[in-house]
Amino acid sequence: MKKHHYNPDACTACTSCVIHCPVAQAVREFQGPKLAGPAGERFRLQEDEWESALEYCSNCKNCDISCPSRVPISTLNMKARAQYYKTHKQPLRDWILSHGEQMAKMAGLTPGLANLGMNNVVSKAILKTIGISNKAPLPAYASESFIKQFKKIKQQTYANKAVFYPGCFVNYNQPQVGLDVVAVLQANKFEVIVPEAAVCCSSPLVVNGYMDEAEANAHKNIAILQDYVKKGYPIITACTSCGLMLKQEYQELFTIEGIEQVASHIYDIAEFLLELYDKGQLNTNFAKQTGRYLYHAPCHLRVQGIGTPSLELVRMIPGIEVIDADAGCCGISGNYGFKADKHDIAMAVGNTLFETIKTSGIDTVLSECGTCRLQIAHGAGAKTVHPISIVRAAYDRK
Amino acid sequence: MRTSDVIVIGGGLAGLTAAIAAVGRGRQVTLMTSGAGTLAIGGGTIDLLGYLENNTLVATPRAGLSLLPPEHPYSKVGSQVVEDAVQFFLTMCQEESFAYTGGLDQIQWLPTAIGTVKPSCLVPLTMDSTPIQTASQVVVVGFTRLKDYFPELISKGLGTIPGFQKEYQEIVVDPGFTGGRDVTTLDIARWLDTIQGQQVCREQLVKHMKPGSVVIIPPVLGSRPSYVVRDTLEKMLNCKFVEAVIMPTAVVGLRLRAMLLQRAKRLGVTIMEQAHVVKAVQESKRVTAVITGNVDRERSYPTKAVVLATGGFFGGGIVAEHDSIGEPIFDLPVTAPAEREEWGTRNLFADAAQPFAKIGIQVDTNLRPVNSEGQVVLENVYVAGRNLAGYDYCLEKSGNGVALVSGYKAGLNC
């Protein structure tokens, strides 16, 4: 670890992480991040069976956000969880939830049928028996993946190129977000490249302990993205968890040649556009809109240390009012809230956010993270939109 | 190019106060934080000045101010600024519906979990100890499995202190928590945030308490900056609560931080979490941008002024290596005894000052950093809080006081 302190002994046991942990707040069975992470490391050196604390961590990273000593607490938990499952049996449920990409590819053969299959009573009962909550907001598959739709777009060619890494959720579940990213980049005179061979960032693999597969994916992605980085192209993501994994968690977890160079070229789409603005190059020819929104900052954005660029960007559009919900974690944390034994915890974690939304009098919530959007729709009954779609609409309606 | 009027580095009491004071003057403020800061786990009272250098008790904080040496941060900014900062804080708390009580003309004596009393200045209404001093009987409430909190220790200790020699009775409340985790005051405070928790607590207390009782309780009367939980329970039980000072993590600091964050955001301060500032761009004696160094890359943020409130040794604002000491962002001069042997005294529990406590950055009367000749090193950088040299918060009981006063002053000047 170069720039990141990886030393668990940097932990001073100040407990800042414990008081800011949303899971510890929701469930007393969780020992909290300090014991699960840095303190647990000491016990794990001696005992094999010290895993009970690891079970509850959702990898939401509020511990990392609160730590004054920059200990990557959540990553210590994830590494220990992977180590634990090397010698212990892992449920089928975890495999299914970590392999969304493979599941989507299978479903992609017959998405209509797959969605029908996921959402009927019988299938939900089957999912429940393997440990997936029958109340959880499982995402529907799109009828056509982003990459398939992207190939049909006739882009304007420009000298400026940008690489867009869609990630599984945009590719298989909500391709419209990806199409909006492409349209916005085109409106800013960038030609978009989508690396088709890139694989799942491995965020769901890491949280479920499939560390070897995650490392293999990381090697593959870095090798692919490296070629573009060498040409000086920026790598853009619209999913905050993919972005965090590519630029930060890979470095915390794995040693891969060239990883730092790739990390230094990864941008959140809104961050990228604001950098264009700073250089006087952003197309600010926004048509006046009408809209009042709440904004939910995903935890995986907050931990990146780049502020909330989407909020800033959307506020540049005339006629749009956005209020920062500022109500903490939504609870879903990737696929944590899909698990039968974690669904209630996830709902308890998100309760402050849900109540904030319900009492706001605003019916639409903006958020960059796909699973945050699912959880917000599920817990607060609100409409949800990726902020980039608002930006695209402002370019379109002139 | 987006340029801030002020970038405040550090989200503790000094940084938040500076940000709120500056945004109140119409400045466009960005607050950069790294971690949640000690404010969240600390005591949350504003201890302004309890003891002088020779360990003598002040008559009042105001009387103590005039006896401080010229290098003390309070002496640097002057007593009028101290007075204004106290007023600024009290008004702010009032406006946020989370009033604090106290002032420069009296010491607030606070009962502690080890049965002693500690001098403070501005305290939340839940910690005002006047009801104890006027009562004849006092109930000390503890909670089952709560760590580091023993009602007997409190009554035994307080019973020997003038003004606190009362008839004490101890009661233990069982919140019925499951799970193997240690019980903290925050767990209990979150439980008492709920109506169900309040009712269970009432049921267990009501049978032991006479109407009009004064009750010492750990800081558990709600996790948020509000007196709703206290008011509800006092009404239910017809009693008066006084929260005791405890070890970290104390919920009192968490409440104060939440109140300050809420105010800062509402007034328009832009807050960037996990923005680890590593260095700055300078043009002669002015800083034009600060640079964050996150795991992925460095980013530059242009600004017209900077408030440096990154803390002391614990917060990372001052870093001591084996053979060096420094301020890591601007490389500001840090004043420390030349020989390491002179940093500490070996009599750890002698109630005497430890020289390392006063290590910090020397500033002018406007809190701008100066070199050993007293010349300003950076004209648009203002230093606040534990970065500052010349005070010993531990001995003086002046930690949050210096943070508040210097944060306020920096926010006015930047």
Side-chain angles (χ1 to χ4, degrees), chain B residues 232-249:
Chain B
T232 308
L233 280 170
E234 284 190 348
K235 212 173 154 193
M236 278 177 173
L237 290 158
N238 187 14
C239 73
K240 198 85 197 144
F241 283 107
V242 178
E243 288 182 325
V245 173
I246 61 159
M247 300 245 297
T249 53

Side-chain angles (χ1 to χ4, degrees), chain A residues 273-284:
Chain A
L273 295 169
L274 287 178
E275 286 203 9
L276 290 182
Y277 174 81
D278 284 339
K279 290 185 272 189
Q281 293 166 4
L282 180 72
N283 173 0
T284 52

Side-chain angles (χ1 to χ4, degrees), chain A residues 3-314:
Chain A
K3 290 181 204 161
H4 216 62
H5 295 189
Y6 194 69
N7 181 5
D9 285 336
C11 169
T12 62
C14 77
T15 68
S16 185
C17 57
V18 184
I19 66 173
H20 291 98
C21 172
V23 177
Q25 180 171 357
V27 54
R28 281 205 46 82
E29 279 64 29
F30 184 32
Q31 305 270 0
K34 180 184 76 174
L35 272 167
E41 281 298 288
R42 297 178 191 121
F43 291 100
R44 285 188 285 267
L45 292 173
Q46 299 169 330
E47 302 165 38
D48 180 43
E49 292 296 325
W50 210 85
E51 89 302 333
S52 64
L54 298 169
E55 168 72 9
Y56 285 98
C57 175
S58 71
N59 198 36
C60 74
K61 301 197 176 282
N62 278 279
C63 47
D64 298 27
I65 295 171
S66 68
C67 178
S69 307
R70 298 188 71 181
V71 178
I73 305 165
S74 53
T75 294
L76 288 172
N77 287 346
M78 293 309 110
K79 288 189 79 159
R81 186 181 281 171
Q83 195 62 35
Y84 175 78
Y85 280 122
K86 280 197 168 155
T87 53
H88 294 76
K89 197 174 170 324
Q90 189 151 15
L92 170 69
R93 185 269 315 269
D94 288 0
W95 191 92
I96 291 176
L97 290 177
S98 347
H99 293 75
E101 190 171 35
Q102 283 85 337
M103 299 292 288
K105 279 180 181 157
M106 285 193 273
L109 304 171
T110 54
L113 200 59
N115 285 331
L116 189 70
M118 293 291 253
N119 285 318
N120 70 53
V121 181
V122 179
S123 305
K124 288 228 165 185
I126 294 168
L127 289 175
K128 194 183 175 189
T129 60
I130 62 163
I132 294 176
S133 171
N134 58 352
K135 292 176 276 179
L138 295 175
Y141 293 116
S143 56
E144 198 174 20
S145 73
F146 164 73
I147 288 180
K148 280 187 187 161
Q149 296 187 58
F150 172 76
K151 283 192 208 160
K152 296 180 195 164
I153 299 173
K154 288 197 173 53
Q155 283 195 76
Q156 193 82 37
T157 51
Y158 292 112
N160 285 330
K161 317 275 185 222
V163 176
F164 175 52
Y165 175 92
C168 301
F169 192 84
V170 168
N171 193 25
Y172 297 112
N173 301 107
Q174 293 188 350
Q176 188 57 46
V177 173
L179 300 175
D180 293 341
V181 168
V182 175
V184 167
L185 287 169
Q186 281 268 289
N188 282 283
K189 298 192 165 41
F190 274 84
E191 189 179 331
V192 182
I193 300 163
V194 174
E196 278 179 51
V199 292
C200 169
C201 72
S202 71
S203 185
L205 292 164
V206 168
V207 295
N208 284 307
Y210 296 95
M211 206 57 88
D212 295 343
E213 281 180 70
E215 186 164 9
N217 278 15
H219 277 277
K220 202 165 179 184
N221 284 332
I222 293 296
I224 291 164
L225 297 177
Q226 216 163 15
D227 291 339
Y228 297 110
V229 166
K230 279 178 187 153
K231 294 180 189 165
Y233 299 168
I235 316 287
I236 289 168
T237 64
C239 163
T240 43
S241 295
C242 292
L244 181 69
M245 183 55 72
L246 296 174
K247 70 182 170 189
Q248 178 164 325
E249 290 177 283
Y250 279 180
Q251 289 194 70
E252 291 169 359
L253 291 163
F254 314 122
T255 306
I256 303 174
E257 182 114 19
I259 197 167
E260 288 180 44
Q261 203 196 355
V262 171
S264 68
H265 284 74
I266 289 167
Y267 292 83
D268 169 77
I269 178 68
E271 178 196 22
F272 181 74
L273 295 169
L274 287 178
E275 286 203 9
L276 290 182
Y277 174 81
D278 284 339
K279 290 185 272 189
Q281 293 166 4
L282 180 72
N283 173 0
T284 52
N285 192 15
F286 299 122
K288 192 169 188 306
Q289 307 286 300
T290 48
R292 201 159 171 259
Y293 304 100
L294 271 181
Y295 169 74
H296 164 69
C299 302
H300 285 185
L301 170 70
R302 292 173 49 215
V303 74
Q304 291 183 25
I306 59 171
T308 48
S310 288
L311 186 60
E312 258 182 90
L313 181 67
V314 174

Side-chain angles (χ1 to χ4, degrees), chain B residues 126 191-203 205 209 221-222 224 226-241:
Chain B
T126 48
W191 177 62
L192 289 178
D193 282 338
T194 67
I195 292 165
Q196 180 240 345
Q198 292 163 8
Q199 276 163 355
V200 173
C201 186
R202 187 200 74 89
E203 280 159 28
L205 284 177
M209 286 198 339
L221 299 173
R224 292 185 282 265
S226 144
Y227 292 121
V228 170
V229 174
R230 177 196 71 150
D231 294 347
T232 308
L233 280 170
E234 284 190 348
K235 212 173 154 193
M236 278 177 173
L237 290 158
N238 187 14
C239 73
K240 198 85 197 144
F241 283 107

